[in-house]
Amino acid sequence: MNRKVVIVFILTLIALGFLTFYSFGPSSITRIGPQINPESLKPAKAEATNQNNESVEVYHNKDIAENFYVVSIPQSWQIQSTTSHPGGYDFVYNRGTSKTELMDVPDNSTLELFVLSQEEPRLKSLLPDYKRIDYQKKKVNGYDAYQLSILSDENGIRNESIKTYIMGPDRAAVITYSLPQEMVASLQNTFNLVTSSFHWENN
């Protein structure tokens, strides 16, 4: 057999091997990224109540390894859809929305520094007539957390958003409530119960 043909044949086999590994090997998982686990969308079957004796649905998010978590929401809230990224939920209730999601914090930053130097400027650029009304450090089930409350205009309505950033084993969790400002006081206790129900499962 011609030497050039043999060399081309060997190089072709090597190229096919690399292509197969790239398409179906471990590196393909990294490129595709985490996927939404169907089990994350099913509330726990056991009946549960919160401290107000309200019926709640308990969700176990198992989308991203090292970041499994649990959160309980009132049964009257509806899960609208998952967020576009694995590790999150979108909930709707009367004139408001709530969201839980995971946020990657760079290794060269702390959660608080990232919230103040990256997240808040990002929100300020996105939300019309942005105004910070409160910022505080707190604990959520023993985890360090930072809560940012802001006002913005949405179609002529003054909306308040309360964002709680919770330190996690790999990524941080973010719980957001958004609704017209005048409704916040009546739902504050419910928000506190939902936030306090959050905990990491693999810690």
Side-chain angles (χ1 to χ4, degrees):
M1 186 180 287
N2 188 314
R3 186 177 176 182
K4 287 184 179 178
V5 173
V6 172
I7 292 173
V8 169
F9 180 72
I10 292 172
L11 291 175
T12 301
L13 287 178
I14 292 172
L16 284 173
F18 275 116
L19 181 61
T20 301
F21 181 79
Y22 183 80
S23 299
F24 304 106
S27 62
S28 66
I29 296 173
T30 303
R31 289 194 313 281
I32 294 170
Q35 301 296 304
I36 294 171
N37 183 339
E39 291 302 310
S40 298
L41 305 179
K42 301 174 184 176
K45 292 182 179 178
E47 287 190 11
T49 57
N50 62 20
Q51 294 171 13
N52 284 350
N53 288 322
E54 298 170 321
S55 295
V56 298
E57 290 187 320
V58 182
Y59 284 88
H60 295 257
N61 193 288
K62 298 179 181 294
D63 290 348
I64 300 179
E66 297 183 25
N67 290 276
F68 292 175
Y69 66 84
V70 177
V71 67
S72 301
I73 63 156
Q75 214 167 42
S76 58
W77 289 17
Q78 300 298 313
I79 183 168
Q80 187 179 43
S81 65
T82 56
T83 60
S84 57
H85 303 290
Y89 298 108
D90 290 336
F91 301 108
V92 294
Y93 45 90
N94 184 29
R95 296 181 64 198
T97 61
S98 176
K99 175 184 290 189
T100 65
E101 57 191 323
L102 296 176
M103 182 180 74
D104 195 18
V105 178
D107 292 338
N108 62 351
S109 181
T110 64
L111 178 57
E112 182 173 25
L113 178 61
F114 187 75
V115 169
L116 296 177
S117 67
Q118 301 294 321
E119 269 291 287
E120 188 170 23
R122 182 185 69 84
L123 294 169
K124 193 177 292 187
S125 69
L126 288 175
L127 300 173
D129 202 15
Y130 175 99
K131 180 184 178 183
R132 182 208 282 192
I133 55 175
D134 189 37
Y135 174 77
Q136 57 181 299
K137 299 178 182 181
K138 59 188 306 181
K139 291 280 188 181
V140 174
N141 279 321
Y143 312 115
D144 289 336
Y146 305 92
Q147 191 171 82
L148 179 65
S149 299
I150 57 180
L151 290 176
S152 62
D153 282 334
E154 186 174 323
N155 299 322
I157 297 173
R158 200 64 170 150
N159 262 23
E160 183 169 340
S161 295
I162 303 166
K163 300 180 75 70
T164 305
Y165 301 83
I166 305 168
M167 186 75 74
D170 180 35
R171 305 185 188 202
V174 187
I175 303 175
T176 304
Y177 309 103
S178 297
L179 68 166
Q181 186 183 17
E182 69 272 11
M183 295 180 61
V184 172
S186 63
L187 286 167
Q188 189 66 64
N189 190 45
T190 297
F191 295 159
N192 290 341
L193 290 173
V194 171
T195 301
S196 65
S197 77
F198 178 96
H199 63 270
W200 299 105
E201 282 206 281
N202 43 352
N203 261 11

